[in-house]
Amino acid sequence: MDNLKQAREKIAKLKEELQAVIVAHNYQRPEVQDVADFTGDSLELARKCVGIEAEVIVFCGVRFMAETAAILNPASTVLLSYPDAGCPLADTIDIGSLRQWKHRYPDAAVVAYINTTAAIKAESDICCTSANGVEIVNMVPNGEILFVPDRNLGHYVSTKVGKKIVLYHGFCYVHDSVTVEQVMLARQRYPQAKVLVHPECRPEVINLADAALSTSQMLRYTRESSCKIFLIGTEEGMLYPLRKQNPEKEFHSIVKNFICTDMKKTTLETIVEVMQARGNVVTVPEEISVKAKQAIDKMLAIP
Ligand code: 13P
Ligand code: SF4
């Protein structure tokens, strides 16, 4: 019996024992996505976690996602699939900097990308994801917005709305590394292809793309498009659900080894370990959780 098969069997048994539901982000390894009950982008997974009725949610992703699940579903115990799977982008802003910034712009609303710690969400007016940033900023009554922490997503949103958006200087090292040259080279190789990039990419890269989309929006776009070849500008785990959903279409990564190391820390073995130990329980202190939930709930109230 091969290792993967053994691990899958152990996970199935542990799921019953723990009354667990497994959720996985679209960037997870293929075999991890395959054992999940639900996969999706940050917004879909947050919505899904609200309604899960299970003793345990095993979150295969990174810490801010598991924290969001714990905030939204206090009745379940949330286990993160690898102890220190974090998001370096989320760690680019701390509470002290955010408070100073709020002090400088007293009339601005703080819109926090979901890729933030619970403590940052708790200090923010509303959350957004890469799927709904434009809608959220439009919906906020203030004319001035402090957008934290991703400068690229914030810039992308600013090109779509008529508001003053003050950008924080954070960025995702994975998406920010894509260059104009890489996109142009990929386009030369596949001139008929549509180029889809994540809004965490740099503005000049987004300008060259046919669309800037969240990971699940990419799934929708490619399903509905009559185009047969796509160049993908996001973490390469995304190629798995794209190819699975569209076996007749071609998908190529714009960048070789387009990998978020934290997203790749989870394996079937780490899931087994976490479930066996009932370890890596993600909790958020009550006073932070209550406030962060307000910012997340405001976002989720938008259909
Ligand atoms: P999505 O919400 O588009 O899946 O993105 C999450 C993320 O971490 C992007 O790097
Ligand atoms: Fe964070 Fe970037 Fe990894 Fe997404 S891809 S989890 S933003 S470091």
Side-chain angles (χ1 to χ4, degrees), residues 32-83:
V32 171
Q33 296 194 34
D34 282 345
V35 295
D37 298 286
F38 306 106
T39 55
D41 67 6
S42 312
L43 182 60
E44 288 175 332
L45 293 181
R47 284 197 195 285
K48 189 50 83 179
C49 284
V50 177
I52 289 177
E53 286 179 24
E55 280 290 311
V56 170
I57 297 173
V58 180
F59 206 111
C60 303
V62 292
R63 180 162 294 273
F64 78 82
M65 295 178 176
E67 271 188 356
T68 305
I71 291 165
L72 290 173
N73 193 331
S76 301
T77 300
V78 177
L79 311 181
L80 178 57
S81 52
Y82 189 87

Side-chain angles (χ1 to χ4, degrees), residues 10 68-69 140 172 210 244 259:
K10 281 187 195 163
T68 305
V140 169
C172 160
D210 293 290
K244 196 170 162 188
I259 282 172

Side-chain angles (χ1 to χ4, degrees), residues 27 62 64-65 86-90 113 115 172-175 200 235 260 262-263:
Y27 293 157
V62 292
F64 78 82
M65 295 178 176
C87 168
L89 166 63
Y113 191 22
N115 296 41
C172 160
Y173 77 98
V174 185
H175 290 91
E200 287 172 14
E235 213 272 353
C260 168
D262 283 271
M263 280 286 183

Side-chain angles (χ1 to χ4, degrees), residues 89-133:
L89 166 63
D91 296 333
T92 53
I93 183 160
D94 59 38
I95 279 296
S97 322
L98 178 55
R99 285 190 182 143
Q100 266 181 18
W101 218 34
K102 283 169 73 168
H103 194 68
R104 260 175 60 203
Y105 298 94
D107 298 328
V110 178
V111 176
Y113 191 22
I114 198 155
N115 296 41
T116 44
T117 60
I120 293 292
K121 289 182 178 78
E123 286 275 333
S124 303
D125 293 290
I126 188 164
C127 288
C128 77
T129 75
S130 59
N132 62 15

